[in-house]
Amino acid sequence: MTRMGYADPTAGRDLLGSRSLCFIFICAFAVVTLVQQILYGKNYVKSGQQFSRLHGDEAGNWSGLNLPDDSPLRPARYGRRRFLEASHGVLEFNSTSCQMLRKEILDVKVLTMVKTSELFERWRNIQVCRWEQNKEETNKFKMSLSQCCNAPSFLFTTKRNTPSGTKLRYEVDTSGVLHISPEIFKMFPDDMPYSRSEFKRCAVIGNGGISRNSKCGKEIDSADFVFRCNIPPISDKYSGDVGSKTDFVTINPSIITERFQKLEKWRKPFYDVLQSYENASVVLPAFYNTRNTDVSFRVKYVLDDFSSPRGVYFFHPQYLLNVQRFWSLQGVRAKRLSSGLMLVTAAMELCEEVHLYGFWAFPMNPAGVFITHHYYDNVKPRPGFHAMPHEIFNFLHMHTRGILHLHTQPCS
């Protein structure tokens, strides 16, 4: 007689077994996470609304940072670092909170230590702190530049530092030597036209797209001395953002070659472009390599032909070599430093206080909004020639230490 087997109705269902428990656990975790995100979102909006109503020291009540209990800024329940909207320096530079915010940036010793987004967040947070010059840090930096580079004596090639009859070695074409003939010697100024710390407040203007819609023109024009790179446009279309005052402007010889056909034929268009800069001094790297020399000399000849009162100067090649070596030790290793960094370096010796505008090396601004490469176009530089992110990284540190003021927010 065949016996009927008993079939367990729960077989294969794993009731409250391992698979069911795992499924329940995942669902519960998802629900908890969703609730946390909802609560965090409400708290984020609330803290932002509260901060927007605060002024001055009242910002000490804001609670979006992970700070110690004795800090005037205390962490929220779901606290993390957050961008402080419209936070143009409401806290004092040396407050406890600002000291910690500065430390967050200075703890990043090299650019590769953090993701770009994390660096942006730290930079955005420090905007809540008023910038203040640190005299001790600034003087140390100026002293190191004086020892290595000495712009007040060697920024330009002069009759004093390069006598007639001597041989001048090129910056890059080190095998090439230029004999300083009496004709060349006559083009040099007797001595440097600027002295150490001659100007109180200087503005160095980069050409970055971060300047667009910044409304910093009036602030820039109020500076005692203004440096610009590579004859950028400063017409009415742009002056509201970048100003128009210019005391010192560089010209890369490649601009003369490409835009003005080496000045071999029509020279009036070039002269007309320079009229925008009034009587600003024109500076060229004539002795970077042998190709630059004749083109740079032609700039001097053209302005003399038009009886222009503006000075034309040539960077001393040894000065530029020393600047390259100085920044290499700071982690900026590139085939060529940018013109902007060269000007910032010179300004640090010639000015008491240095402010930077239009310097940024990333495709988006600190708030994460995409920007053009220049404020006037989106033409990218030759890849691998400059080390722009590393240059800006050094500026972030110098700003944080109170050595210079890097402006990346719109001006009020």
Side-chain angles (χ1 to χ4, degrees), residues 329-398:
L329 295 175
Q330 317 306 316
V332 183
R333 298 178 180 87
K335 185 175 182 180
R336 178 72 167 169
L337 299 180
S338 72
S339 300
L341 181 55
M342 294 175 189
L343 292 189
V344 172
T345 309
M348 285 302 305
E349 290 197 75
L350 303 179
C351 312
E352 290 184 23
E353 190 174 294
V354 176
H355 293 252
L356 310 188
Y357 301 84
F359 283 89
W360 198 247
F362 306 97
M364 57 185 66
N365 66 19
V369 178
F370 283 96
I371 56 177
T372 56
H373 187 71
H374 297 126
Y375 67 82
Y376 48 85
D377 67 31
N378 197 31
V379 177
K380 304 293 195 301
R382 185 168 32 154
F385 198 65
H386 298 311
M388 297 296 291
H390 294 278
E391 293 185 9
I392 300 302
F393 179 72
N394 274 274
F395 294 157
L396 298 180
H397 271 237
M398 293 169 72

Side-chain angles (χ1 to χ4, degrees), residues 30-82:
V31 171
V32 171
T33 301
L34 178 61
V35 171
Q36 286 180 331
Q37 291 297 317
I38 293 172
L39 291 175
Y40 170 76
K42 290 181 179 179
N43 185 59
Y44 179 85
V45 172
K46 182 180 178 181
S47 64
Q49 291 172 339
Q50 289 175 343
F51 185 83
S52 67
R53 293 193 297 267
L54 299 180
H55 302 281
D57 295 336
E58 294 177 2
N61 295 323
W62 183 80
S63 57
L65 296 168
N66 291 317
L67 297 168
D69 290 339
D70 60 350
S71 168
L73 304 186
R74 295 184 178 179
R77 181 176 180 183
Y78 302 104
R80 58 182 288 250
R81 288 186 301 275
R82 293 198 277 283

